[in-house]
Amino acid sequence: MTTTRGGVLDAGTGSFGDGLPDMVANLDTDTIRPIPWLPGVAYAIADIDNPDGSRSDVAPRAVLRSVLDEYEKEGLVPVCGPELEFYFAQRTEGGWERILNKAGRVYTTGSQVDPDGHYLHLLRMLDQLNIGAFAGNHEFCPSQYEINLWHSEAMDAADRTFLFKTAIKDVTASRGILGTFLGKPWNDEGGSGFHLHFSVTDGDGVNRMHDGGGELSETALQMIAGVIDHADAIAAFTNPTVNAYKRLGPDTLAPYRSNWGYDNRSTMIRIPPERGQGTRLELRIGDGSANPYVIIAVVLAAALDGIRRGLTPPAAAEGWAYEDEERPVLPMSLKAALDALAADAGLRDLLTGDFIDVFTVMKRDEVERYEAEVDDPDTRDVTAWELEEYIEDY
Amino acid sequence: MLHDLAETRRLLETQGIDVVRLIFTDLLGMTRSKDLLVSQLERSAAHGPASARARG
């Protein structure tokens, strides 16, 4: 397996020990989309399979497909709405910097927050790419933007999010800047989240998250309980970098404890106020470095575990939930999250063991390199190592 | 599959598409890709272009 620095690791099954076997990229013709900024070229998403045609245990799209198969057995259809923020940055002689620095421009558009037209061009390109983009704006922090995507069934939502991230990296690179989804690129400004809205419907598309009387359904409560039960382990996937944990903490509008609450942005799982067909959960822990297929797969797997085991969630948090001492603090480092993942046998049963093993090898290597190369690995400050390691790739 | 790919090739050619950028994510979330020439699509995509798993 290849690291972000171009190193190659022996990740066990299907790697050096097996003689570097082939993988096969099979074109999914349903995903073909002409690329608006590259006339004559079209994107197509590939399924990564083993040479005998079976699904690869470590391919992110295949991992999600396996989780969706389990939902189908329950007669449920997961629906997801991704919500990602990102920064525009540029490399200068002093290192990576934001391209804008005027604060206080949240929920604005126009030349003051887009003097070179990068954002507006990107919005138009995403529209023409036909991935369900419908709106956008400058976000809370200078040089930070959000472009909104419609919700849809889980695999389609994951495909569109993958295309969204790929397109933003490509369009910005073609204009000489960097679009980055890194969770916490700057010490002096907030991070970029990958909030995941999700729900389930029955086979006829009827939302199963409410009881018909304005309350959450038993299914929704079990899904909350499942995600909370596996929260520490799934953090390794929702927040898969050393950097990601520096976005989390008290009073950040990113989660700090494994809790939930009604329309409460200080909790890990927020229940938006809409009911009826719009009833859903919003997981707020993830950041943009998460793989769209993986974050959706692991969150849905944990939620399904809650349904199958009939779990009951803890009481909903009220008020400023960072002070909700009834609930434990989430892992505050990638190392702690990987330890929690190793200890979570239940999550391993829900996902393929090879997938978890290979991911763990890659991420343990990342932690080891960080700890060896940074003077104070426990610092909560963003280090130059993190920018060098991640910012261009994420 | 071959029939689908022939139809896909014809459709792409009518849209002026001569390259298909086949993309997937690796486990880390990096976008990996291979460019396929549409003129060769039936042959190159019928059984998937093979890659060594070390890049996955």
Side-chain angles (χ1 to χ4, degrees), chain A residues 294-308:
Chain A
V294 173
I295 188 173
I296 291 175
V298 299
V299 171
L300 291 179
L304 183 62
D305 191 44
I307 295 172
R308 286 181 167 169

Side-chain angles (χ1 to χ4, degrees), chain A residues 302-343:
Chain A
L304 183 62
D305 191 44
I307 295 172
R308 286 181 167 169
R309 291 164 60 203
L311 297 180
T312 302
E318 295 182 0
W320 199 234
Y322 296 113
E323 296 159 6
D324 172 22
E325 295 188 355
E326 295 293 312
R327 299 298 309 152
V329 171
L330 290 159
M332 283 294 118
S333 70
L334 179 57
K335 190 177 189 176
L338 291 169
D339 290 344
L341 178 61

Side-chain angles (χ1 to χ4, degrees), chain A residues 2 23 25 40 42 44 46 50 166, chain B residues 18 21 23 26 28 31 49 51 53-54:
Chain A
T2 311
M23 60 181 186
N50 297 314
T166 300
Chain B
D18 61 351
R21 182 155 295 167
I23 59 173
D26 65 17
L28 299 180
T31 299
S51 303
R53 190 173 288 182

Side-chain angles (χ1 to χ4, degrees), chain A residues 146-192:
Chain A
E146 179 173 303
I147 291 177
N148 307 106
L149 299 173
W150 292 118
H151 61 275
S152 65
E153 290 185 15
M155 183 59 80
D156 180 67
D159 282 343
R160 290 185 297 109
T161 309
F162 170 44
L163 286 162
F164 175 81
K165 293 178 72 175
T166 300
I168 289 177
K169 301 297 281 186
D170 201 57
V171 170
T172 53
S174 73
R175 293 171 71 92
I177 62 169
L178 174 73
T180 181
F181 294 89
L182 185 62
K184 181 74 168 119
W186 325 111
N187 279 313
D188 60 344
E189 291 293 349
S192 294

Side-chain angles (χ1 to χ4, degrees), chain A residues 215-229:
Chain A
E215 301 295 331
L216 293 179
S217 66
E218 184 177 39
T219 299
L221 291 168
Q222 290 168 345
M223 291 171 71
I224 293 169
V227 173
I228 286 179
D229 193 53

